Amino acid sequence: MKFLLFTFVGVVHLLSTNSGKAIYRNGISQKTFQEIKEEIACYGDVAKAIINLAVYGKAQNRSYERLALLVDTVGPRLSGSKSLEKAIQIMYQNLQEDGLENVHLEPVKIPHWERGEESAVMLEPRNHKMAILGLGSSIGTPPEGITAEVLVVTSFDELQRRAPEARGKIVVYNQPYTNYSSTVQYRVQGAVEAAKVGALASLIRSVASFSIYSPHTGVQEYQDGVPKIPTACITVEDAEMMSRMVSRGNRIVIQLKMGARSYPDADSFNTVAEITGSKYPEQVVLVSGHLDSWDVGQGAMDDGGGAFISWEALSLIKDLGLRPKRTLRLVLWTAEEQGGIGAFQYYQLHKANSSNYSLVMESDSGTFLPSGLQFTGSDKARAIMEEVMSLLKPINITQVFRAGEGTDINFWIQAGVPGASLLDDLHKYFSFHHSHGDTMTVMDPKQMNVAAALWAVVSYVVADMEEMLPRS
């Protein structure tokens, strides 16, 4: 990493002691990198105190136990559901009782979709009841269902080549899993591409790194001008079986029934709490996770864990009697699973103050044992973050990777605000993602302790440094 030194001749001190606002000449840091490095090194004892409290002290396992209580009480928390709103009200009360500041709810409108009863039965070449999960915002079938022959394809290219065969059929996608970002396009766009060639419905192989006959749901998107057709995910096992069947010349017929239905947008809230900054309260380091989930499992991993280590970060800092110079703001997003709906409305409300956001953080890829921190920002900011992460040597997690991101913080990152996310065990994550298996059984309290310690150290140090993270 190339470290850039900032030197100035005849620099005047531009920090007003009365205004409480950090001011830089032409937006440039007044400190050399060596000075910043030395400043960060001074946080070594604070970092150790946070780690000791989170990993070995009285706060160990707290984030796990808090999460278990919520998800066991409320269950999954689908956008627009009563269980999501119950969870929001519980968290609002929890954050107040925890002694955090400026706890409040920011109202937003979010989608309301319900899957209803659903089934898929193979009628030919043999009778076989299939496990399915309808995809978010899908329409339902007629009450009698859709009974049709199947066309199995492995890619959008194959679908286009065989477009004349697709009319009046149910398209089954048996796309291979490479990685989530490239494979998820079949879940998101599969129905639209099938509808364009005249299909009656689409069934999509679950986007999963591992399967024990587990369908994985998720959002899908319709397109204006293209007929809406019912769409659901099926298991990896059934997709591969049907692919083998057709390769032998078997004719496959499926009866699909889906009671899915969309309702008018519902009222909901982003949940906010803070530790107000002591010197630059108008400046913000944001830590976050999303409180909503899909309607299967418990939403413990996605994203209960991320939401609760973000709460835990503020709890750890408060318990140690620390108050950073900048405001530490916790946001628990609503309706992330539908495309960051709550977060987009938060961004619209607060974007005028984007210059006051030093760092935005989101944990939404699991809270297993982190490999390090993903970061998006300028080279200068990355060099600073590498120094901050060096404070995590006591738990041997110091690496800074590329591509810090999150559905809920990407709005800010695209506007130039530095962003960070946890890098985690993605193979394990996508084994349980959006499935009935996303429960507390997946979670490990010791790993959550470590994730919370990392989250707290990074957020506190960046919030307490004299200067904001430099931008491009």
Side-chain angles (χ1 to χ4, degrees), residues 14 31 41 86 108 116 129 143 146 155 168 180 185 194 234 285 333 342 345 363 385 395 416 454:
L14 295 180
K31 288 190 174 188
K86 181 178 179 180
V108 293
K129 185 176 181 180
I146 294 172
S155 68
Y180 184 75
Q185 64 180 318
I234 58 175
V285 169
W333 310 108
Q345 292 173 70
S363 172
M385 294 304 292
I395 52 175
L454 185 159

Side-chain angles (χ1 to χ4, degrees), residues 58-89:
K58 66 177 183 179
Q60 65 178 314
N61 303 345
R62 181 169 60 186
S63 59
Y64 175 92
E65 291 164 0
R66 285 171 163 177
L67 174 61
L69 178 60
L70 180 80
V71 302
D72 290 346
T73 301
V74 176
R77 304 166 299 283
L78 183 64
S79 174
S81 68
K82 292 181 179 178
S83 60
L84 173 59
E85 297 317 305
K86 181 178 179 180
I88 289 170
Q89 293 302 323

Side-chain angles (χ1 to χ4, degrees), residues 285 287 313 317 328 359 361 454-464:
V285 169
V287 294
I317 291 162
L328 261 178
L359 178 67
M361 303 167 62
L454 185 159
W455 219 226
V457 169
V458 170
S459 59
Y460 175 76
V461 173
V462 174
D464 196 58

Side-chain angles (χ1 to χ4, degrees), residues 328-440:
L328 261 178
R329 180 174 297 162
L330 166 68
V331 183
L332 305 178
W333 310 108
T334 190
E336 182 276 344
E337 296 293 3
Q338 285 62 42
I341 303 298
F344 176 71
Q345 292 173 70
Y346 176 91
Y347 176 70
Q348 292 297 317
L349 184 65
H350 296 279
K351 65 181 180 181
N353 297 318
S354 63
S355 62
N356 278 330
Y357 281 68
S358 184
L359 178 67
V360 289
M361 303 167 62
E362 180 172 24
S363 172
D364 188 21
S365 295
T367 48
F368 309 126
L369 189 65
S371 303
L373 191 76
Q374 292 175 284
F375 180 75
T376 297
S378 67
D379 288 344
K380 299 171 186 177
R382 175 174 298 277
I384 292 170
M385 294 304 292
E386 288 177 344
E387 294 301 317
V388 172
M389 283 298 291
S390 72
L391 299 170
L392 278 298
K393 285 179 182 176
I395 52 175
N396 198 32
I397 304 172
T398 60
Q399 288 186 276
V400 178
F401 299 92
R402 299 280 173 183
E405 60 84 35
T407 298
D408 299 302
I409 62 172
N410 284 341
F411 307 108
W412 298 92
I413 293 172
Q414 290 162 8
V417 178
S421 51
L422 282 181
L423 181 62
D424 220 311
D425 182 350
L426 294 182
H427 178 83
K428 181 175 182 180
Y429 182 76
F430 288 115
S431 297
F432 299 98
H433 181 247
H434 295 181
S435 78
H436 288 286
D438 181 357
T439 68
M440 283 305 298

Side-chain angles (χ1 to χ4, degrees), residues 189-401:
Q189 303 170 21
V192 165
E193 295 305 315
K196 287 178 180 177
V197 293
L200 300 179
S202 64
L203 297 174
I204 295 139
R205 169 176 164 158
S206 288
V207 183
S209 52
F210 178 78
S211 179
I212 49 170
Y213 202 70
S214 50
H216 296 239
T217 190
V219 73
Q220 65 86 36
E221 297 175 356
Y222 289 124
Q223 191 178 107
D224 290 343
V226 178
K228 295 180 179 181
I229 61 174
T231 183
C233 60
I234 58 175
T235 66
V236 171
E237 292 87 344
D238 279 340
E240 291 185 343
M241 179 181 70
M242 285 189 281
S243 187
R244 292 192 302 270
M245 284 177 166
V246 296
S247 72
R248 301 183 191 115
N250 294 133
R251 178 177 183 265
I252 301 175
V253 175
I254 288 177
Q255 182 186 62
L256 176 68
K257 292 184 178 181
M258 294 175 59
R261 183 178 174 186
S262 291
Y263 296 88
D265 285 353
D267 294 319
S268 188
F269 303 92
N270 292 316
T271 309
V272 183
E274 295 179 342
I275 296 175
T276 306
S278 62
K279 188 172 183 181
Y280 311 122
E282 75 285 356
Q283 296 176 7
V284 174
V285 169
L286 184 148
V287 294
S288 68
H290 65 87
L291 201 54
D292 66 299
S293 71
W294 285 103
D295 56 337
V296 291
Q298 290 183 302
M301 180 192 74
D302 182 17
D303 181 36
F308 275 68
I309 68 161
S310 295
W311 173 20
E312 182 67 13
L314 269 67
S315 289
L316 292 166
I317 291 162
K318 176 187 65 67
D319 289 350
L320 288 168
L322 300 171
R323 183 176 293 276
K325 295 181 181 71
R326 279 171 206 84
T327 294
L328 261 178
R329 180 174 297 162
L330 166 68
V331 183
L332 305 178
W333 310 108
T334 190
E336 182 276 344
E337 296 293 3
Q338 285 62 42
I341 303 298
F344 176 71
Q345 292 173 70
Y346 176 91
Y347 176 70
Q348 292 297 317
L349 184 65
H350 296 279
K351 65 181 180 181
N353 297 318
S354 63
S355 62
N356 278 330
Y357 281 68
S358 184
L359 178 67
V360 289
M361 303 167 62
E362 180 172 24
S363 172
D364 188 21
S365 295
T367 48
F368 309 126
L369 189 65
S371 303
L373 191 76
Q374 292 175 284
F375 180 75
T376 297
S378 67
D379 288 344
K380 299 171 186 177
R382 175 174 298 277
I384 292 170
M385 294 304 292
E386 288 177 344
E387 294 301 317
V388 172
M389 283 298 291
S390 72
L391 299 170
L392 278 298
K393 285 179 182 176
I395 52 175
N396 198 32
I397 304 172
T398 60
Q399 288 186 276
V400 178
F401 299 92

